[in-house]
């Protein structure tokens, strides 16, 4: 039998494995009386404009999953029948900003070390400016009940109604809402004085442990196929947006640069570091040096760390 004729003869028995966030599957079946494995993986996108334009024209069965401020996300297919599963998870940002364009453009990456002094004198003022530019409207839409309320998995009002301990759990916009091995949720705190992990103090340890417990508990209750030890919790630094939040992902989620050392800081490690700090309850993550990665197009590289490297004033 010619090689090209083998695939149509394949008879599926069962799904053996699924990885790459659902983009690759390994199927167990047979051809004739011979046990057979078939692995299918989505091909890479072409880079020429004409082919990409054709891809866009052929998008069909686009289903909106949600909309919040300038962010929209969908499932879509290309050239299939109504019963076919969607081919693509689509994220739309409109209108996008120059910062979005920089974020999604290819760029080199640098390792930087941020001392407490650099944080206080240069990074903290930068963060404050970002927060003043309305970049958190989509977060406040969720927290204040204007958007995505049907997607909220869990809302915790805080122990004994303590508003400063309240948080909610919802799907991350990059998750397709169905592939459990690529599960990605966000726990958003409701208080607005915590901008990033830099704002965490020893006084927050009990709250962080309580939040970790409740987040894991709510996740495995919502998705009983997942065990508590199949979840990974972390924070980004620098984060994409400056309102304290925790990423909750399945341990089998394909590692990307956003989960790499120098970008993702495990919640357990943050708690442990806070516990090991000397000093009173006000001692915190703003007292330590942090080493992390920055893209070469990031404002903090061009405006702070590159000038420091070159001996110029940032």
């Amino acid at each position: 039998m010619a090689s090209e004729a083998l695939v149509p003869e394949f008879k599926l028995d069962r799904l053996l494995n699924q990885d790459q966030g659902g983009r690759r599957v390994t199927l167990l079946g047979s051809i004739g009386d011979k046990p057979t494995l078939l692995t299918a993986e989505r091909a890479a996108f072409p880079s020429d404009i004409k082919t990409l334009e054709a891809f866009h024209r052929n998008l069909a069965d686009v289903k909106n999953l949600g909309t919040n401020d300038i962010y929209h996300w969908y499932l879509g297919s290309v050239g299939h029948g109504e019963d076919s599963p969607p081919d693509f998870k689509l994220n739309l940002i409109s209108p996008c900003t120059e910062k979005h364009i920089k974020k999604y453009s290819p760029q080199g990456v640098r390792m930087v070390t941020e001392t407490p002094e650099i944080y206080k004198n240069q990074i903290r003022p930068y963060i404050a400016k970002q927060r003043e530019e309305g970049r958190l409207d989509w977060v406040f839409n969720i927290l204040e009940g204007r958007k995505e309320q049907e997607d909220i998995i869990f809302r915790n009002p805080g122990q004994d109604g303590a508003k400063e301990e309240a948080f909610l759990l919802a799907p991350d916009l990059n998750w397709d809402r169905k592939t459990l091995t690529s599960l990605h949720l966000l726990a958003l705190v409701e208080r607005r004085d915590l901008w990033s992990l830099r704002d965490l103090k020893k006084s927050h340890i009990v709250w962080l442990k309580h939040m970790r417990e409740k987040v894991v508990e709510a996740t495995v209750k919502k998705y009983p196929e997942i065990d508590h030890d199949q979840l990974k919790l972390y924070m980004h630094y620098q984060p994409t947006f400056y309102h304290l939040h925790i990423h909750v992902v399945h341990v089998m989620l394909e590692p990307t640069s956003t989960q790499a050392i120098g970008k993702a800081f495990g919640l357990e490690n943050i708690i442990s570091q806070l516990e090991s700090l000397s000093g009173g309850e006000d001692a915190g993550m703003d007292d330590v040096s942090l080493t992390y990665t920055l893209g070469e197009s990031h404002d903090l590289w061009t405006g702070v760390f590159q000038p420091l490297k070159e001996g110029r004033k940032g």
Side-chain angles (χ1 to χ4, degrees):
M1 184 182 297
S3 180
E4 292 83 357
L6 291 174
V7 173
E9 293 297 317
F10 178 80
K11 304 297 182 184
L12 175 64
D13 179 23
R14 62 188 173 95
L15 171 67
L16 197 63
N17 197 8
Q18 184 180 46
D19 56 7
Q20 290 277 3
R23 295 186 294 275
R24 182 196 297 141
V25 294
T26 300
L27 309 175
L28 176 63
S30 61
I31 295 179
D33 59 354
K34 300 175 182 178
T36 304
L37 289 174
L38 175 63
T39 297
E41 183 174 355
R42 298 190 189 279
F45 274 96
S47 57
D48 64 286
I49 294 298
K50 286 187 177 180
T51 305
L52 290 173
E53 287 177 340
F55 158 75
H56 175 253
R57 286 196 303 270
N58 290 325
L59 273 175
D61 300 320
V62 176
K63 178 184 177 182
N64 179 248
L65 294 177
T67 295
N68 187 341
D69 197 47
I70 63 174
Y71 302 97
H72 316 262
W73 45 103
Y74 314 84
L75 292 177
S77 301
V78 175
H80 297 306
E82 293 182 0
D83 296 332
S84 299
D87 291 317
F88 301 98
K89 167 72 165 48
L90 307 171
N91 291 345
L92 182 72
I93 304 174
S94 181
C96 68
T97 66
E98 185 62 31
K99 287 187 178 293
H100 289 120
I101 295 172
K102 287 181 179 180
K103 175 183 176 180
Y104 290 101
S105 298
Q107 58 182 301
V109 177
R110 303 285 182 146
M111 292 292 294
V112 301
T113 296
E114 181 183 298
T115 64
E117 292 74 25
I118 292 174
Y119 172 71
K120 177 182 177 181
N121 296 326
Q122 296 179 274
I123 308 302
R124 181 77 178 182
Y126 168 83
I127 294 175
K129 182 179 179 183
Q130 302 306 300
R131 286 177 57 88
E132 292 169 359
E133 294 179 355
R135 301 183 188 280
L136 295 175
D137 289 350
W138 70 273
V139 176
F140 299 149
N141 283 341
I142 299 173
L143 295 177
E144 295 171 5
R146 293 190 293 269
K147 294 284 186 178
E148 299 184 54
Q149 299 307 290
E150 68 280 1
D151 292 330
I152 293 176
I153 295 168
F154 176 72
R155 187 185 289 269
N156 186 296
Q159 298 185 78
D160 301 321
K163 186 67 175 176
E164 69 274 10
E165 298 182 353
F167 66 90
L168 60 82
L169 185 65
D172 183 87
L173 64 85
N174 290 308
W175 185 40
D176 66 7
R177 319 291 179 94
K178 61 177 184 175
T179 309
L180 291 183
T181 52
S182 62
L183 175 93
H184 192 164
L185 310 178
L186 285 183
L188 296 167
V189 305
E190 295 206 11
R191 58 190 296 175
R192 305 193 183 186
D193 59 331
L194 300 178
W195 301 352
S196 75
L197 63 83
R198 277 293 200 184
D199 292 304
L200 295 173
K201 308 287 186 183
K202 294 189 69 152
S203 60
H204 295 130
I205 290 174
V206 173
W207 171 56
L208 289 171
K209 289 182 175 180
H210 172 75
M211 182 157 54
R212 176 191 61 196
E213 176 185 346
K214 292 299 182 182
V215 164
V216 171
E217 182 181 284
T219 303
V220 298
K221 182 179 180 180
K222 176 69 174 180
Y223 307 104
E225 303 91 336
I226 299 176
D227 289 331
H228 71 280
D229 55 0
Q230 292 180 299
L231 295 172
K232 180 164 55 177
L233 282 66
Y234 60 87
M235 298 183 191
H236 283 147
Y237 195 78
Q238 295 286 331
T240 302
F241 59 96
Y242 292 102
H243 180 96
L244 189 72
H245 58 284
I246 300 171
H247 293 263
V248 184
V249 303
H250 195 286
V251 293
M252 293 297 290
L253 177 63
E254 195 76 12
T256 64
S257 59
T258 63
Q259 294 186 57
I261 294 174
K263 180 66 175 178
F265 292 75
L267 180 59
E268 292 284 357
N269 292 336
I270 294 171
I271 293 173
S272 178
Q273 187 164 10
L274 286 170
E275 289 176 327
S276 67
L277 289 176
S278 59
E281 292 289 276
D282 286 338
M285 295 298 291
D286 58 346
D287 297 321
V288 303
S289 292
L290 294 178
T291 297
Y292 55 90
T293 58
L294 275 180
E296 291 177 345
S297 296
H298 198 290
D299 292 342
L300 292 179
W301 170 252
T302 58
V304 177
F305 290 101
Q306 186 177 24
L308 286 174
K309 178 184 178 182
E310 298 172 352
R312 296 183 284 120
K313 185 176 180 180

